[in-house]
Amino acid sequence: MSDVFTGMTLERTSGEKETETVPPWELRVFGSLTALHAGRSLPLGPLRHRALLGLLLVRLGSVVATGQLVDELWAGRPPRRPIATLQTYVSHLRRALASGGEQGRAEARVRHRSPGYVLEIDPELVDVHRFETLVDRGRRDLAHQRFRSARDELTRALALWRGDPYLELTSYGPIADENERLEQLRLTAVETRAGACLAIGEADSVVTTLYPEVQRNPTRERCVGHLMSGLYLLGRQAESLRLYEQTRRHLADELGVDPGAELQRVHSDILNQRLPVGEPPLSAGSCVKSDRSAAPAAPPPAETPANTPEPAPAPSADAPTALSERRLRRSRRSVFGRDTADRNGSRILRPSQGARSRGVLVGRDRELALLGGHVLDALEGGSHLTAVLGESGVGKTELVQELARGLQELLQEVVWGRCTAGEGVPAYWVWAQVFRQLAVSRPEAFRKAEARFGSLLAPLILTPESGLRTVNSDDPSARARFLTQDAMCETLLSLAADDPLVVVLEDLDQADESSLELLGLLRTRLHCEPLSIVVTADDTSVAADFMGGSAVAEALGDSRTRSVRLAGLSPWDTRELVAGHTTADVPDDVLGLLHRRSRGNPYILNQFIAAVGDPGLLGDRTSVENVLADVPLGVRQALGRRLTGLPGPVLDVLRCCSTLGTAFEFDLVNDVMGARTDVEPAIETATRCGLLRRAAQPPFLLSFHDELLQEVLLGELSGRDRAWLCESVARALAQRRAAPHGEQEQHRDRVRRTTRLLAAPGKPNGARVPAPAPPHSA
């Protein structure tokens, strides 16, 4: 018998637990480091000020030497007067912490004690201390077999975990170590709570809680063991055994070890039927010894027609029955609500309350329901390819991850691959990632497929002996290439026929040619198979023009492909996202500034919020305006990646445009760039890629679609190039002012003709105007 069920007794419950009271003054570590007084965030200052508080907080009550603080704050590159700067930071922290005290009394103090500084505060005012205290109580209760008390204490502890501790400060070494320690303690609390829930028969709660944890931490054997026990107690023995096999293969492949003795005992108990199956919750009498002093367990409530599962309909003689026996036939109520249809009659599933799990996924309820409906339709033989489209940072990955969490809670397998562009990336790389996961999760079926096709699958297979990926390049002919792709398709279809399968391919616009060819061939083979393919791709034409995107366009342009397109968040959703970062009241005008500057892009919006530093300052218009005046580094890098696929002449023209203000004439760009740069096709390309846009009314001025992109391009210019462009623009404008009236009118006519021609891309190009040489590429 496994340790989970050995010697356990049920304790007597003696009334309700006291609800936890939030102190009027507290330091919050989970999520962003925040000091609160009466629910109001105190102004802790910029990032390095909060890092100083964090470095003192992780050694609460201990003196940290001044030199050590300097080294940790500036990572070996201190300012010119580090001690004086540190003293300034300390003074600011003292004022900030004292501002939350009542009648001049500070709840937290930063004191100088030779040879450094110490933070003095009542530990009960720090949420991480309360978390650790509750975890310790829960573990003691479990050790003394007070299972309900252990469950309640650990539930309260985990409720304090609002996000990763010291979220924005993990670039500092000691804080990163503390972050990792607390994450391990959280996993211990999750495992301990699961053990208590199993002891009192709450197997359904264990499965719901542990399944995503096991997905993220596949080597936590105790977590795997509790999940296996919970699945078994719910009558899902096959899934429990498959989870053990998956974990065994993962440990062997990644670490070269076998499962530990505890997990092996759980596996043995399940194999030998030493745990009862299908017992109702709270009455697992044969596996949990009942204490005679405990109150007798109430009998399980009789099932009513409302909660009695409907029996599966008997299959007809000519109807296929494979899918009706699969896991997808189970209730989906934990993730999705009832089926509905949109105005076009397409099937969608509306998420129930609480469907959005960890992380912030704001304003995407309809898209999540629509995507879920497409995937479930595909698993029942409908349209098999679903594309999630949108610009970088708009939340494509987060949306698909949310869907995957919901499917995994139903034990629907989801395998994941990410496309990667660049030199040295082997053919079929994204599919190799998919096949690797399937080789671990479905070892027997995969071995049969490998034996059937032999060396044809060599480009995707990991050899068990060496762990190295083999590459088959003996026969590079077109016939051999087709046979390899055919073998891959047949393997996927065979695995999906055994059990429904969802395949996610991220960043399809970065895929290699071979991977796209395989996707195209697979699409022609999909008819009624329970296989759903979800792809994400950048919703701009940059990839389609310069990254082999014709194959991408072909895959996404198929009439059977479903699309879910993500735009920026609405102002109301922006308000909700900002509210998740702060308890402060953020005025409407500040929310408007954040929304306009980010265009509702969640990644860009979060970058600006992080740049503000103290979440309490989001309510201060001046602080927000100061942050919005610059472009955060992460945003610069993300926007820079949008430009990497563009040809050099297009980039040169865009850099020129970045110096011309918010709106400019095509003819002015032509005059500035010169005869050796073909401006017109470059402008057309930039417009088609969504980087520039044309006004709908005369004089059809051009402007950047995203002002942040314009600022990034302007910032890339060297001083020499910027001076050259400014001089060229001034010269062109001076020549216009000096021209006779008739020539000015001709110039305006030429501008109108050219911009009208650009507004109709299908027409032939007009004459091109020569001008001086372009600037150097920055």
Side-chain angles (χ1 to χ4, degrees):
M1 191 72 67
S2 68
D3 291 347
V4 174
F5 300 105
T6 302
M8 290 188 173
T9 59
L10 291 172
E11 80 281 9
R12 186 196 306 266
T13 57
S14 56
E16 296 292 330
K17 296 283 184 181
E18 293 183 4
T19 58
E20 183 186 4
T21 59
V22 178
W25 198 101
E26 66 171 332
L27 274 178
R28 288 186 179 178
V29 165
F30 295 117
S32 298
L33 178 58
T34 309
L36 293 175
H37 172 61
R40 181 177 60 88
S41 178
L42 302 180
L44 296 179
L47 185 67
R48 195 163 274 134
H49 288 195
R50 285 176 286 127
L52 172 60
L53 178 60
L55 291 170
L56 295 173
L57 187 54
V58 298
R59 294 105 161 190
L60 182 61
S62 300
V63 177
V64 186
T66 300
Q68 184 177 353
L69 286 173
V70 169
D71 290 342
E72 292 171 353
L73 276 174
W74 285 283
R77 291 179 293 179
R80 188 174 61 176
R81 300 176 59 196
I83 303 300
T85 304
L86 179 62
Q87 290 171 346
T88 302
Y89 288 3
V90 170
S91 298
H92 180 280
L93 271 182
R94 286 170 173 167
R95 288 195 301 271
L97 296 174
S99 64
E102 298 179 357
Q103 299 178 353
R105 181 175 64 87
E107 300 287 353
R109 292 182 176 85
V110 180
R111 294 187 182 278
H112 178 268
R113 287 185 185 170
S114 182
Y117 294 92
V118 60
L119 176 65
E120 293 181 346
I121 183 176
D122 181 0
E124 289 297 325
L125 300 180
V126 185
D127 60 352
V128 71
H129 174 80
R130 299 200 301 275
F131 170 78
E132 294 186 73
T133 300
L134 289 169
V135 172
D136 287 342
R137 288 181 192 167
R139 297 174 73 178
R140 285 197 303 269
D141 285 342
L142 184 65
H144 291 87
Q145 301 178 2
R146 296 191 293 267
F147 302 119
R148 293 184 186 276
S149 176
R151 178 201 59 186
D152 294 342
E153 296 283 9
L154 292 164
T155 299
R156 282 196 290 274
L158 292 169
L160 293 172
W161 192 283
R162 302 176 183 88
D164 291 343
Y166 303 99
L167 184 61
E168 76 280 25
L169 302 176
T170 53
S171 58
Y172 298 89
I175 296 178
D177 294 340
E178 178 69 0
N179 176 284
E180 177 61 25
R181 183 188 73 83
L182 291 172
E183 170 61 18
Q184 296 305 313
L185 184 59
R186 184 192 71 84
L187 289 172
T188 299
V190 170
E191 293 169 348
T192 307
R193 182 184 180 278
C197 289
L198 286 172
I200 57 180
E202 296 181 353
D204 51 349
S205 173
V206 171
V207 171
T208 301
T209 303
L210 290 190
Y211 200 89
E213 296 292 349
V214 168
Q215 292 289 320
R216 289 191 293 267
N217 303 279
T219 59
R220 296 283 297 203
E221 295 187 34
R222 179 161 295 176
C223 203
V224 173
H226 287 339
L227 178 56
M228 288 173 58
S229 301
L231 289 170
Y232 182 85
L233 290 174
L234 292 178
R236 291 147 72 172
Q237 177 179 354
E239 295 166 11
S240 178
L241 294 175
R242 191 173 76 177
L243 176 60
Y244 176 81
E245 179 63 20
Q246 179 179 335
T247 304
R248 186 191 66 78
R249 289 292 300 271
H250 182 81
L251 291 171
D253 292 343
E254 297 295 327
L255 304 176
V257 298
D258 293 326
E262 182 179 345
L263 186 57
Q264 289 184 30
R265 282 197 299 271
V266 175
H267 181 239
S268 175
D269 289 342
I270 294 173
L271 281 177
N272 292 286
Q273 306 289 313
R274 289 200 287 263
L275 301 179
V277 179
E279 291 289 340
L282 303 180
S283 64
S286 57
C287 65
V288 180
K289 297 181 181 179
S290 179
D291 187 356
R292 296 188 179 187
S293 63
E303 288 187 328
T304 63
N307 59 22
T308 303
E310 297 182 1
S316 61
D318 56 349
T321 61
L323 187 61
S324 64
E325 298 171 356
R326 308 235 181 256
R327 294 172 299 183
L328 261 292
R329 292 302 188 188
R330 293 197 188 93
S331 169
R332 304 180 188 118
R333 58 185 168 78
S334 62
V335 180
F336 300 108
R338 60 183 179 87
D339 290 7
T340 58
D342 65 8
R343 65 183 63 182
N344 299 319
S346 300
R347 182 184 176 201
I348 63 173
L349 294 175
R350 301 197 183 282
S352 59
Q353 292 297 323
R356 289 176 297 191
S357 53
R358 300 141 209 86
V360 178
L361 187 69
V362 172
R364 301 301 187 200
D365 285 355
R366 184 184 181 280
E367 291 86 350
L368 178 62
L370 191 61
L371 178 59
H374 292 340
V375 169
L376 295 177
D377 280 345
L379 292 174
E380 294 175 356
S383 181
H384 296 277
L385 182 62
T386 304
V388 181
L389 306 173
E391 68 178 16
S392 177
V394 79
K396 302 184 294 292
T397 297
E398 289 76 7
L399 182 70
V400 178
Q401 285 177 340
E402 186 68 24
L403 173 79
R405 290 188 189 106
L407 293 173
Q408 287 167 348
E409 286 176 4
L410 302 174
L411 293 187
Q412 166 60 49
E413 184 172 12
V414 181
V415 291
W416 209 284
R418 181 187 291 273
C419 304
T420 304
E423 297 181 2
V425 178
Y428 307 113
W429 172 238
V430 66
W431 293 104
Q433 299 170 54
V434 169
F435 275 65
R436 285 180 181 183
Q437 295 173 53
L438 291 172
V440 173
S441 65
R442 305 186 181 186
E444 295 300 328
F446 204 85
R447 275 195 286 269
K448 291 179 182 177
E450 185 180 356
R452 178 183 174 191
F453 294 108
S455 61
L456 287 174
L457 293 179
L460 300 179
I461 303 302
L462 283 172
T463 58
E465 295 79 10
S466 63
L468 300 176
R469 196 168 72 85
T470 61
V471 180
N472 180 23
S473 57
D474 297 336
D475 187 358
S477 67
R479 180 175 182 274
R481 186 185 183 96
F482 175 81
L483 290 176
T484 294
Q485 294 175 1
D486 176 70
M488 298 173 189
C489 290
E490 289 299 316
T491 300
L492 278 173
L493 294 175
S494 174
L495 292 172
D498 288 340
D499 214 352
L501 182 61
V502 178
V503 176
V504 177
L505 307 178
E506 272 202 277
D507 300 330
L508 191 67
D509 45 281
Q510 305 289 324
D512 59 278
E513 182 181 356
S514 299
S515 293
L516 290 172
E517 287 180 357
L518 176 55
L519 177 61
L521 182 61
L522 181 60
R523 283 169 41 237
T524 65
R525 305 281 185 88
L526 292 171
H527 299 289
C528 296
E529 292 79 1
L531 173 62
S532 174
I533 301 174
V534 180
V535 303
T536 68
D538 196 348
D539 193 21
T540 67
S541 301
V542 177
D545 282 339
F546 310 114
M547 298 181 185
S550 58
V552 176
E554 180 182 349
L556 302 184
D558 188 279
S559 60
R560 295 172 297 174
T561 298
R562 305 277 189 92
S563 295
V564 177
R565 197 174 301 274
L566 299 185
L569 299 176
S570 67
W572 181 261
D573 294 329
T574 298
R575 175 190 297 276
E576 185 179 349
L577 190 148
V578 173
H581 289 268
T582 180
T583 58
D585 184 20
V586 182
D588 290 342
D589 58 339
V590 175
L591 290 169
L593 289 174
L594 289 166
H595 181 262
R596 286 192 296 274
R597 184 69 162 151
S598 66
R599 294 182 300 108
N601 184 296
Y603 171 77
I604 297 176
L605 186 57
N606 279 312
Q607 288 290 306
F608 279 124
I609 292 173
V612 172
D614 188 344
L617 296 178
L618 288 170
D620 181 14
R621 182 185 176 94
T622 302
S623 299
V624 173
E625 285 178 337
N626 290 337
V627 168
L628 296 181
D630 196 9
V631 183
L633 177 61
V635 177
R636 288 183 180 275
Q637 293 173 340
L639 294 176
R641 286 193 290 271
R642 282 192 66 185
L643 305 172
T644 53
L646 293 171
V650 178
L651 277 175
D652 285 337
V653 170
L654 286 173
R655 290 181 180 123
C656 170
C657 294
S658 70
T659 65
L660 301 180
T662 56
F664 43 89
E665 297 176 348
F666 165 80
D667 215 41
L668 179 58
V669 182
N670 219 344
D671 291 343
V672 173
M673 289 303 297
R676 284 179 290 178
T677 299
D678 211 352
V679 173
E680 191 169 330
I683 293 289
E684 289 178 352
T685 298
T687 304
R688 189 170 63 253
C689 294
L691 305 175
L692 295 178
R693 60 185 173 190
R694 293 179 290 269
Q697 302 295 329
F700 304 105
L701 296 178
L702 294 163
S703 62
F704 277 88
H705 185 266
D706 185 355
E707 66 177 15
L708 294 174
L709 183 65
Q710 182 177 10
E711 294 175 28
V712 168
L713 285 163
L714 189 61
E716 288 181 349
L717 290 173
S718 66
R720 174 187 174 189
D721 288 342
R722 188 177 300 190
W724 187 94
L725 282 170
C726 291
E727 182 181 348
S728 299
V729 172
R731 188 185 307 116
L733 294 175
Q735 290 173 354
R736 292 184 180 195
R737 287 193 295 269
H741 178 75
E743 292 185 13
Q744 291 182 17
E745 190 62 33
Q746 291 177 4
H747 166 74
R748 284 192 289 270
D749 289 341
R750 187 169 70 249
V751 169
R752 284 193 288 269
R753 287 196 304 272
T754 304
T755 50
R756 286 197 187 99
L757 185 63
L758 287 176
K763 298 181 180 180
N765 295 331
R768 299 184 177 108
V769 183
H776 301 282
S777 297

